[in-house]
Amino acid sequence: MDKRYDLARMVYSDRSIKRLDKKIKLLGSNSKINTIVFLNFRIISFIIIFFVILYISSFGYVLAPVISILYYYFLEKIVIDSEIKRRQVSIEGEGINFFEILTLAIDAGRNLEGAIRITVDNTKGLLPIEFNEVLREVKYGKSLTEAMMDMQGRIPSDSINNIILSLVESDIYGSSVISNLNSQVDYLREKRKMEVKGEIAKVPIKISIISVLFFVPLVLLIILGPVLLSYVG
């Protein structure tokens, strides 16, 4: 498509497009979402929703702008932000097992690339997919350091990116990374443990909210039902 007549590039600044492009990259190497296609879809669907509501509703002049703006705002959060958050949780959970195996492979005398290959072959999930992309890029001419630095842009986790940075520094300077990997894995394990404890702590609050919304009205209905029926009778 000619960029001069691309709707998204006519509406959005280059800065906005680059911001969203950076965010979409966090969806990973297997993501099918294209920045320009997403922006074009959002603009066109926003316009369609606006005029459809304006046409079918007698209060369209009020509802159309409100609903359209809410749709425009939350589409990115639902389609992109929520998926990035899900990837972050999954990748950090996988990181414990993945980097433990990587550490064992390095400790067994493998070089970094060989250790990554062994780890990818023996694990499954989002993180092995990204490291497999690193190996593919190395196969086609990139250095291991360049490929891992590029991978950081596809990882929505500062904790995992810190580990990748340690691997990059190890590859550049030839230093041992085993002790650093072990401490990073321990940090991931503790972080995961605190997140689980946090979720458990929220359970009583969620139960209380459910009780207020469902059980309390039901109890009131049972208590006041006979009184209401007597008035009706």
Side-chain angles (χ1 to χ4, degrees), residues 11-12 16-17 32-33 38 45 56-58 78 95 99 116 118 140 146 161 163 170 173-175 182 195 202 224 230:
V11 174
Y12 295 94
S16 297
I17 293 173
K32 305 301 182 184
I33 298 178
F38 176 82
S45 56
I56 66 174
S57 174
S58 56
I78 294 170
F99 290 113
I116 291 173
I118 289 173
Y140 287 102
E146 288 175 329
N161 277 331
I163 299 177
S170 173
Y173 301 111
S175 57
N182 285 329
E195 287 172 351
K202 292 177 183 177
L224 298 176
S230 66

Side-chain angles (χ1 to χ4, degrees), residues 115-169:
I116 291 173
R117 194 175 302 280
I118 289 173
T119 308
V120 167
D121 290 341
N122 289 278
T123 53
K124 294 181 180 181
L126 300 175
L127 196 55
I129 288 173
E130 297 306 328
F131 271 95
N132 192 55
E133 179 66 14
V134 167
L135 295 174
R136 190 189 70 83
E137 290 177 350
V138 169
K139 180 180 178 181
Y140 287 102
K142 272 190 180 180
S143 69
L144 183 61
T145 298
E146 288 175 329
M148 285 196 294
M149 290 180 71
D150 287 344
M151 181 178 64
Q152 286 185 298
R154 303 192 299 269
I155 303 295
S157 167
D158 291 337
S159 302
I160 300 298
N161 277 331
N162 286 337
I163 299 177
I164 296 170
L165 181 60
S166 298
L167 295 175
V168 169
E169 291 175 347

Side-chain angles (χ1 to χ4, degrees), residues 18 29 50:
K18 288 178 181 178
S29 55
F50 179 88

Side-chain angles (χ1 to χ4, degrees), residues 18-29 31 33 35 38 75-93 126 152-158 160-161 191:
K18 288 178 181 178
R19 178 196 66 80
L20 185 61
D21 193 48
K22 186 177 180 180
K23 185 183 286 190
I24 287 177
K25 192 177 179 182
L26 292 173
L27 296 176
S29 55
S31 174
I33 298 178
T35 303
F38 176 82
L75 182 65
E76 182 177 329
K77 292 188 174 298
I78 294 170
V79 175
I80 298 175
D81 292 356
S82 61
E83 179 62 16
I84 289 174
K85 180 62 179 177
R86 187 193 69 80
R87 275 178 56 81
Q88 178 188 349
V89 173
S90 297
I91 285 174
E92 289 181 353
L126 300 175
Q152 286 185 298
R154 303 192 299 269
I155 303 295
S157 167
D158 291 337
I160 300 298
N161 277 331
K191 183 180 179 182

Side-chain angles (χ1 to χ4, degrees), residues 56-75:
I56 66 174
S57 174
S58 56
F59 296 99
Y61 61 93
V62 176
L63 294 176
V66 173
I67 294 175
S68 300
I69 290 171
L70 288 174
Y71 166 82
Y72 183 91
Y73 177 76
F74 283 106
L75 182 65

